[in-house]
Amino acid sequence: MRLRVEFTTEPFDLDEAPPHAVVARDVIQGADLDAVDVGPFGNTAEGEAGRVLTAVDALLRQALEAGATRVSLQVNVLGNGSGEGDK
């Protein structure tokens, strides 16, 4: 199974990336995931389910430890070829 995760961390700072955002970016970029896209207002990554879930666990723990007061995320199952969940 493949998953896509989309996430943001708060509080926002438009002048400079806060430590929790940098940590979250580093975690997701350092994970063995595909199609990683990080930006100031949202981040996405895709990959094998186990790898995505491991990265999400690390992202949550480390971003909160670095000062995030909110982490919003969405996880979607990507098409599996069976017709269910295909996009």
Side-chain angles (χ1 to χ4, degrees), residues 5 7 23-33 36-38 43-45 52 55-56 59:
V5 61
F7 68 92
V23 165
R25 181 193 66 211
D26 290 348
V27 167
I28 219 68
Q29 288 180 325
D32 188 16
L33 302 176
V36 174
D37 183 23
V38 295
N43 310 282
T44 62
V52 170
V56 166
L59 181 145

Side-chain angles (χ1 to χ4, degrees), residues 58-79:
L59 181 145
L60 289 171
R61 291 174 189 277
Q62 293 181 37
L64 293 170
E65 288 173 7
T69 57
R70 180 181 197 164
V71 179
S72 301
L73 65 92
Q74 178 174 312
V75 177
N76 293 301
V77 175
L78 298 178

Side-chain angles (χ1 to χ4, degrees), residues 1-25:
M1 175 186 321
R2 290 183 54 81
L3 301 175
R4 175 185 297 128
V5 61
E6 301 175 45
F7 68 92
T8 59
T9 62
E10 295 179 38
F12 294 114
D13 183 340
L14 295 177
D15 295 326
E16 182 178 333
H20 59 80
V22 173
V23 165
R25 181 193 66 211

